[in-house]
Amino acid sequence: MDSNLDKKQAFDLTGLDMARQFDEIVEIILSHRSRASRAVNNELLMTAWQVGCYVSTKLKSEEWGSKVVAQLSEYIRANRPDLKGYSRSSIYNMVMFYDEYSSAEFADTVMRFLNSEFVQPKTGQLMKSSQISTDESSVIVQPKTAQFVQPTVGQLPKILELTTLTNHIEILCRCKTSEERMFYILNANKERLVKRELQRCISNQTFSTLLGGKKSMSKGMLETYPSAPIMFKDTLFIDFLNLPKKHSEKKLKDGLLEHMKQFILELGKDFIFMDQEYRLEVGSSTFKADLLFFHRGIQALVAVELKKSKFDPRDLGQLEFYLEALDRDVKRSNENPSVGIILCPEADRVVVEYAMSRSMSPTMIAQYKRILIPQKRMQAQLNEFCNQFLTND
């Protein structure tokens, strides 16, 4: 019988070893697939960059007018129907892509918050349109073959490779300042945002809510997690719930559970949902944390307490009690101290400041808004966000 057990254990070990080896093969596949995807994206970006550069130069020199751009689009459609994505509006998007990202203002912004590597890998400078060759040998469409050829232009700035052309067009059309555009490029890369997700991030003013002053964080939060101000929002938009002005905490929680995917996108993609009404046994009593998450970035449990009314300092004491229970009885040895978030519809700033000033637990107050509203922007936090991006990179 022992012999059979040994054989079974040997088989299990072999199975585990095979699984490990299979996982290594999967990693190889995923790695190359990711590289292939990046290569395709970079080619699409470079195509848009060079086409945009060429057409922009012709328009600025007044050799071409808007009718010529329309004729170019029609020419491509008639002579090369296999080349998709070159409508008149698409070509103008490419011009915008080149003009805005080749501007000195954008280059200066990237240099100020990141470094020269993200502006231009080799020279640290963006090529100006006046430096571009526009002689007859540098054409986009050759009359006989209708083939695209590469004009002599500067390299694509490295920062543009961080997200897709589709996302870039969305950012360019909806963001007005270089700071906003740079932020959403970095955020789209960090959170792996597709177009629809990026649209929501821009609509709910992620730039403002993530980078605004964080008076709502405790000393314990800032000391334990110095990067918290650029990882956690202090304002969340839950317009997707269509909540009435007067609602119960149960209706709020049920709505968030039903739309958990959208809620996590609003929180940040590093959040992993674990449970609702998570039971905490302390002595002979049972307590329940409304929502429990795990944050991959800080490797810590995150308890979210939902409130239907204005923040009350007593709410903080309850949350700190839950964090103590989580740290003592739930947190694993390799995990960091648990974080607590009180999510409420309203909070008096002075009351929050008083409540946070002596709290040594990693806690914060976040407000939820039923509709999208504009928020104040601050460049100091953008600088911190960029520094963290450089560190993680």
Side-chain angles (χ1 to χ4, degrees):
M1 187 169 180
D2 290 341
S3 176
N4 290 335
L5 183 60
D6 290 341
K7 288 180 180 179
K8 184 177 183 304
Q9 289 176 338
F11 177 78
D12 289 342
L13 287 172
T14 301
L16 289 172
D17 187 56
M18 290 295 288
R20 180 184 60 77
Q21 294 176 36
F22 290 167
D23 284 340
E24 290 176 354
I25 294 174
V26 170
E27 285 299 317
I28 293 172
I29 295 170
L30 293 176
S31 174
H32 284 280
R33 188 172 70 174
S34 177
R35 288 170 59 187
S37 178
R38 287 197 301 271
V40 170
N41 182 58
N42 289 348
E43 286 302 318
L44 290 173
L45 293 171
M46 182 57 77
T47 300
W49 180 261
Q50 295 184 340
V51 171
C53 167
Y54 187 96
V55 177
S56 173
T57 303
K58 291 295 185 183
L59 291 172
K60 288 175 181 176
S61 66
E62 298 185 351
E63 290 184 51
W64 286 12
S66 60
K67 287 185 178 179
V68 178
V69 177
Q71 291 171 354
L72 169 63
S73 175
E74 291 169 5
Y75 181 88
I76 295 173
R77 184 169 61 251
N79 291 274
R80 290 301 302 266
D82 57 310
L83 296 177
K84 306 297 183 183
Y86 294 95
S87 66
R88 179 180 179 277
S89 61
S90 294
I91 293 173
Y92 270 111
N93 280 341
M94 294 177 189
V95 171
M96 174 176 62
F97 177 72
Y98 175 77
D99 283 347
E100 296 299 330
Y101 287 147
S102 67
S103 69
E105 180 185 354
F106 183 75
D108 290 343
T109 299
V110 177
M111 286 284 286
R112 189 166 73 251
F113 290 104
L114 296 172
N115 56 48
S116 61
E117 180 186 3
F118 285 87
V119 180
Q120 180 62 272
K122 287 187 176 180
T123 65
Q125 298 178 349
L126 287 169
M127 190 76 78
K128 296 180 180 178
S129 58
S130 60
Q131 296 174 283
I132 299 167
S133 170
T134 56
D135 59 20
E136 294 181 357
S137 64
S138 179
V139 296
I140 285 188
V141 181
Q142 296 177 347
K144 293 183 179 180
T145 63
Q147 294 286 339
F148 279 91
V149 297
Q150 296 183 351
T152 306
V153 295
Q155 285 187 328
L156 187 79
K158 183 179 177 182
I159 188 174
L160 303 187
E161 298 176 2
L162 297 179
T163 193
T164 64
L165 179 61
T166 302
N167 280 353
H168 279 301
I169 300 304
E170 192 69 26
I171 291 168
L172 288 166
C173 289
R174 300 185 61 185
C175 301
K176 303 304 180 184
T177 68
S178 293
E179 287 84 358
E180 281 184 277
R181 288 169 176 170
M182 183 189 67
F183 169 81
Y184 284 113
I185 291 171
L186 300 180
N187 197 52
N189 175 270
K190 176 178 177 290
E191 300 288 348
R192 300 182 183 86
L193 301 179
V194 297
K195 179 182 177 181
R196 190 172 180 179
E197 296 169 340
L198 175 64
Q199 287 174 330
R200 174 165 179 80
C201 284
I202 296 174
S203 295
N204 67 14
Q205 294 289 313
T206 297
F207 179 57
S208 305
T209 57
L210 194 61
L211 302 182
K214 295 299 194 298
K215 300 294 185 182
S216 57
M217 291 187 174
S218 68
K219 286 183 177 179
M221 176 72 111
L222 297 173
E223 290 178 5
T224 307
Y225 301 108
S227 60
I230 54 176
M231 296 178 70
F232 296 93
K233 298 179 182 179
D234 59 6
T235 304
L236 303 175
F237 294 96
I238 54 172
D239 52 300
F240 50 84
L241 298 185
N242 295 316
L243 281 175
K245 188 171 183 179
K246 292 185 177 180
H247 56 271
S248 64
E249 288 178 9
K250 184 179 186 304
K251 188 173 183 65
L252 172 61
K253 182 173 65 178
D254 290 345
L256 293 178
L257 290 170
E258 184 180 351
H259 298 83
M260 183 55 67
K261 183 177 180 180
Q262 290 166 281
F263 183 50
I264 287 180
L265 177 60
E266 182 65 15
L267 285 171
K269 282 192 172 181
D270 274 343
F271 283 86
I272 300 172
F273 177 62
M274 294 184 64
D275 204 356
Q276 62 163 318
E277 295 190 356
Y278 188 84
R279 294 171 64 90
L280 296 167
E281 307 287 346
V282 180
S284 59
S285 301
T286 300
F287 303 88
K288 295 178 181 179
D290 286 338
L291 300 174
L292 186 65
F293 295 86
F294 184 80
H295 194 282
R296 292 182 299 177
I298 61 174
Q299 290 291 295
L301 295 167
V302 180
V304 177
E305 282 299 292
L306 307 174
K307 303 297 176 183
K308 69 173 183 179
S309 54
K310 188 175 181 179
F311 168 70
D312 188 301
R314 288 173 292 187
D315 300 334
L316 186 59
Q318 178 192 37
L319 181 62
E320 290 181 325
F321 177 80
Y322 289 171
L323 295 185
E324 184 68 20
L326 286 170
D327 283 350
R328 288 196 188 193
D329 305 325
V330 182
K331 181 179 78 68
R332 296 179 179 178
S333 59
N334 63 314
E335 294 172 355
N336 294 311
S338 303
V339 170
I341 300 175
I342 294 175
L343 187 59
C344 56
E346 186 181 356
D348 185 305
R349 289 189 177 184
V350 178
V351 174
V352 169
E353 184 181 352
Y354 273 54
M356 294 285 101
S357 65
R358 295 198 178 190
S359 175
M360 295 312 296
S361 298
T363 57
M364 68 173 290
I365 313 302
Q367 298 182 59
Y368 64 85
K369 304 297 181 183
R370 296 179 300 110
I371 56 176
L372 302 179
I373 60 174
Q375 298 288 317
K376 184 180 179 180
R377 296 191 291 265
M378 294 185 67
Q379 289 193 0
Q381 258 60 38
L382 178 58
N383 192 40
E384 290 186 26
F385 179 85
C386 292
N387 287 337
Q388 185 194 37
F389 184 87
L390 288 171
T391 301
N392 293 339
D393 187 62

